[in-house]
Amino acid sequence: MIRKLLRRVFRRDAPSRHEPATIPHARHGIDRALVSFNAKRVCETLQGAGHKAYIVGGAVRDLIAGIEPKDFDVATDATPDQVRALFRRSRIIGRRFQIVHVMMGPETMEVSTFRAAHDENTLKDEHGRVLRDNIWGSMEEDAARRDFTVNALYYDPVTELVYDYHRGVDDLKNKTMRMIGDPKSRYREDPVRMLRAVRLSAKLGLTLDPAVRAPIKELAGLMENVPPARLFDEMLKLLFSGHAVESLQRLRAEGLHHGLLPLLDVILEQPLGEKFVMLSLASTDARVRADKPTSPGFLFATLLWHEVLANWEERKNAKELPVPALFAAMDEVLDQQAEKLAITRRVAGDIKDIWLLQPRFDKRAGKSPLRMIEQPRFRAAYDFLLLRAESGEVPQELADWWTKFIAGDHAGREAMLLPDSGKKRRRSRGRGRKAAEGAAAPEAAD
Ligand code: ATP
Ligand code: MG
């Protein structure tokens, strides 16, 4: 009781509502080597012109947590036009929120002007979702409109001080994810914050504050009002965060996966494919963490594969021919998902390439394997096969055969080819029967 009272008293007057806490290096411990040189230059240039300028948001949070940030955002009291005038290679983007992209070497920094908090005049939809806000504000207001306390930190790379209005550094050190303001209304303003809570807490190993956690189950339905393209962006972030497995487990624990996104339903509610999907996500996580390239096409191909298999199986049971049945199954699954997932044509093409090559791994006779490894998408298809074997969908022996085949030189590969039962095949072709029963993908796809 007394403790509770003390806590309330403390909360009320420290840190002051107007002055941020100033955190010295000794406490935040940011490693300068992890700070982007270009981000520092942007801040220096702005400060040199008499403006305030700080590295802000996720980058500061990650730096304090000892994680190398993937991008650096800068917040300033300069207007977009003023920022634009200071950097030769820069441009103003965005309509709803005007920000400036400053290009420096290979890096693009997002520079945003401090934005005001919402007030009763802010335009919202009938559920409380904010529709428009582009009013510049003070640094304090800018901090107040951010979502979580750990995301509202401002780092001056010149003085190496961190400015903290909402005890974010404490929360980060105590491994707690706390909302700025009332979580329920902050979720209503922007339901995507529910996903962010889960994704960022998984990434940083933070525990959701009970007040952040409690309303999620009740408000999860609000996600339906979020434009699909925005949800898709969030999903991509989640899937390629390097912590996808952990994030999905947490989403499930919060009851957030249900009906939230069609893709998530696919991922989490297919018992057969779950092992396969989890292996794929774990391998994506490992690649992201090792800074290796990843491709949305490959990941989506794995996420939807068991849908395709089930659909294909049904068609074969209905006596459709295997090859056309596979094509039809692929198209149907992609059509169902592509719209909701905003999968681009190019990505859809990558996905199909990977799927189409799968049945051809069964063909180990004749010249087929030699042609197969010349396929432009062979490497991705082979990685896909490895996951299929690991999840138990195809025999490990098949994957091992291909691994050995790839490793061999030309003579070694020739020696591995199984005898071609050429006679039988020629005959069946001659009669114009369905081409290569066992090999679903036609040679025409070569
Ligand atoms: P990541 O590591 O995935 O980039 P992030 O927190 O940096 O995480 P961004 O989308 O880059 O995410 O956002 C940058 C900053 O903008 C956040 O740290 C936060 O301060 C603020 N922000 C982002 N999304 C929201 C939101 N939905 N509501 C309020 N503030 C937000
Ligand atoms: Mg970020």
Side-chain angles (χ1 to χ4, degrees), residues 25 28-36 63-64 66 69 72 155 160:
H25 182 268
H28 63 68
I30 289 179
D31 177 0
R32 287 179 67 102
L34 296 181
V35 179
S36 150
L63 284 166
I64 296 178
F72 284 83
Y155 175 60
E160 293 190 64

Side-chain angles (χ1 to χ4, degrees), residues 57-59 61-62 70-71 73 145-147 151-152 186 190 192-193 196 199-200 203 230 237:
R61 174 199 71 211
D62 290 355
K70 51 180 189 334
D71 43 43
D73 298 331
R145 56 157 286 282
R146 293 177 184 272
D147 44 10
N151 284 344
R186 302 299 318 270
D190 181 7
V192 166
R193 290 174 184 148
R196 288 176 52 83
R199 170 170 69 84
L200 294 172
K203 167 175 166 174
R230 173 128 194 263
K237 279 194 175 185

Side-chain angles (χ1 to χ4, degrees), residues 169-406:
V169 174
D170 280 352
D171 286 340
L172 201 48
K173 302 270 180 206
N174 298 332
K175 299 225 159 272
T176 305
M177 188 96 169
R178 212 156 47 79
M179 186 76 86
I180 298 172
D182 168 50
K184 265 196 183 178
S185 37
R186 302 299 318 270
Y187 287 145
R188 285 186 193 282
E189 282 169 7
D190 181 7
V192 166
R193 290 174 184 148
M194 293 185 263
L195 265 187
R196 288 176 52 83
V198 173
R199 170 170 69 84
L200 294 172
S201 67
K203 167 175 166 174
L204 295 153
L206 305 185
T207 308
L208 296 184
D209 173 55
V212 166
R213 188 169 177 203
I216 291 183
K217 281 206 168 70
E218 179 197 334
L219 298 180
L222 291 178
M223 301 289 298
E224 280 170 31
N225 308 320
V226 179
R230 173 128 194 263
L231 273 190
F232 182 64
D233 279 352
E234 267 310 307
M235 275 313 292
L236 279 187
K237 279 194 175 185
L238 191 150
L239 294 172
F240 292 100
S241 65
H243 303 268
V245 170
E246 174 71 24
S247 297
L248 286 181
Q249 279 161 353
R250 288 185 181 217
L251 280 179
R252 198 183 237 168
E254 299 306 331
L256 249 189
H257 64 289
H258 214 81
L260 175 65
L261 276 185
L263 175 62
L264 274 183
D265 289 345
V266 171
I267 301 172
L268 297 176
E269 277 155 36
Q270 51 174 350
L272 252 183
E274 185 176 337
K275 185 164 181 208
F276 178 69
V277 162
M278 283 301 170
L279 280 170
S280 159
L281 289 173
S283 118
T284 305
D285 280 351
R287 291 186 71 88
V288 172
R289 293 194 207 187
D291 253 340
K292 291 187 185 163
T294 50
S295 93
F298 184 86
L299 187 62
F300 287 130
T302 61
L303 298 183
L304 299 174
W305 176 239
H306 277 259
E307 295 282 293
V308 173
L309 282 183
N311 191 309
W312 190 22
E313 201 54 41
E314 256 173 47
R315 289 170 183 276
K316 284 191 290 191
N317 289 340
K319 301 280 179 279
E320 286 185 40
L321 301 178
V323 179
L326 176 61
F327 274 93
M330 289 190 334
D331 283 340
E332 194 175 322
V333 169
L334 273 178
D335 280 351
Q336 280 166 2
Q337 294 293 331
E339 190 192 348
K340 300 175 218 157
L341 289 182
I343 292 177
T344 60
R345 266 177 195 282
R346 201 179 59 80
V347 173
D350 289 349
I351 296 174
K352 280 190 182 182
D353 286 347
I354 293 171
W355 285 344
L356 269 176
L357 289 173
Q358 295 311 307
R360 292 187 45 186
F361 283 112
D362 295 332
K363 293 175 81 182
R364 288 184 270 174
K367 297 285 181 212
S368 174
L370 294 170
R371 281 198 298 272
M372 175 74 164
I373 55 175
E374 300 301 327
Q375 292 289 328
R377 303 287 296 160
F378 174 76
R379 189 68 215 187
Y382 163 74
D383 287 340
F384 197 90
L385 174 73
L386 294 185
L387 288 177
R388 291 172 67 210
E390 208 180 333
S391 67
E393 185 211 322
V394 294
Q396 185 61 42
E397 180 268 334
L398 181 67
D400 292 344
W401 187 93
W402 281 96
T403 304
K404 199 168 154 206
F405 187 74
I406 298 166

Side-chain angles (χ1 to χ4, degrees), residues 117-138:
H118 308 304
D119 59 22
E120 63 277 12
N121 296 324
T122 307
L123 194 63
K124 296 182 180 175
D125 72 5
E126 74 269 27
H127 306 283
R129 191 167 73 85
V130 173
L131 295 177
R132 204 181 309 128
D133 57 346
N134 207 5
I135 316 138
W136 314 135
S138 66

